[in-house]
Amino acid sequence: MLEGQLRRNTRQKRVILRSVEQLGCHPTAVQIYNTVRKVLPRTSLSTVYRNLGILVDQGKIRAVKGAGSEIHYDHNTGAHNHIECTVCGRVCDVHMDPVDIDTMNPETVSNFIVMEVRMNILGICPECAEQLEKEKLQ
Ligand SMILES: [Zn+2]
Ligand SMILES: [Zn+2]
């Protein structure tokens, strides 16, 4: 690979990682793409997808699958759960202790060996709740 190309790739990856951090509340690839394009206008969506995949593999970010088909990206790679808005699809963090696998009773989990706990909490975010409230008053 040419040195210039390599430098450009490194820069793209850095800007993509920074965008995930700046956008905070678990952005999708398209949201990250729109932010990256403000800094590096020639970046393609496929480049963003590819780099997000690399960053996930490197453990720098985490991919969070919502109820829909879209994947959200999280700069917080520590163990925590998520809540998803059923109206706008936004994903936010749940601030409570993760379920402790070691204290689980085997019968509760049909004698499975538990590898990972993924909780799916769905709700309505404050912005959507406010919007729904306004619509009700009209
Ligand atoms: Zn919402
Ligand atoms: Zn999160």
Side-chain angles (χ1 to χ4, degrees):
M1 203 187 293
L2 295 168
E3 206 186 306
Q5 172 90 25
L6 190 66
R7 238 196 333 259
R8 195 164 68 109
N9 287 357
T10 308
R11 174 132 199 262
Q12 275 172 337
K13 196 154 85 187
R14 208 175 46 226
V15 172
I16 289 167
L17 180 60
R18 208 173 48 211
S19 299
V20 176
E21 287 167 358
Q22 278 172 352
L23 285 164
C25 212
H26 313 80
T28 62
V30 173
Q31 287 169 326
I32 294 160
Y33 167 69
N34 289 332
T35 306
V36 170
R37 296 264 292 190
K38 285 177 196 153
V39 187
L40 302 169
R42 281 166 53 203
T43 310
S44 70
L45 184 56
S46 62
T47 300
V48 171
Y49 271 114
R50 197 182 58 236
N51 278 289
L52 286 170
I54 295 169
L55 289 166
V56 170
D57 287 345
Q58 291 176 339
K60 297 218 166 94
I61 58 172
R62 195 173 121 178
V64 179
K65 192 133 175 22
S69 56
E70 265 187 316
I71 294 174
H72 299 260
Y73 294 91
D74 195 348
H75 64 92
N76 177 2
T77 54
H80 66 284
N81 292 301
H82 293 106
I83 186 159
E84 184 175 353
C85 179
T86 54
V87 182
C88 69
R90 156 200 327 227
V91 172
C92 291
D93 288 340
V94 170
H95 304 280
M96 61 184 230
D97 291 335
V99 177
D100 185 0
I101 295 174
D102 297 332
T103 62
M104 274 186 182
N105 186 332
E107 269 139 51
T108 344
V109 290
S110 302
N111 295 311
F112 274 48
I113 299 167
V114 179
M115 308 298 291
E116 192 187 344
V117 178
R118 286 188 205 177
M119 256 204 303
N120 248 346
I121 310 177
L122 301 176
I124 299 172
C125 76
E127 282 80 2
C128 288
E130 197 183 321
Q131 190 59 37
L132 288 172
E133 197 57 41
K134 267 194 216 146
E135 282 167 19
K136 234 192 315 189
L137 294 173
Q138 274 169 7

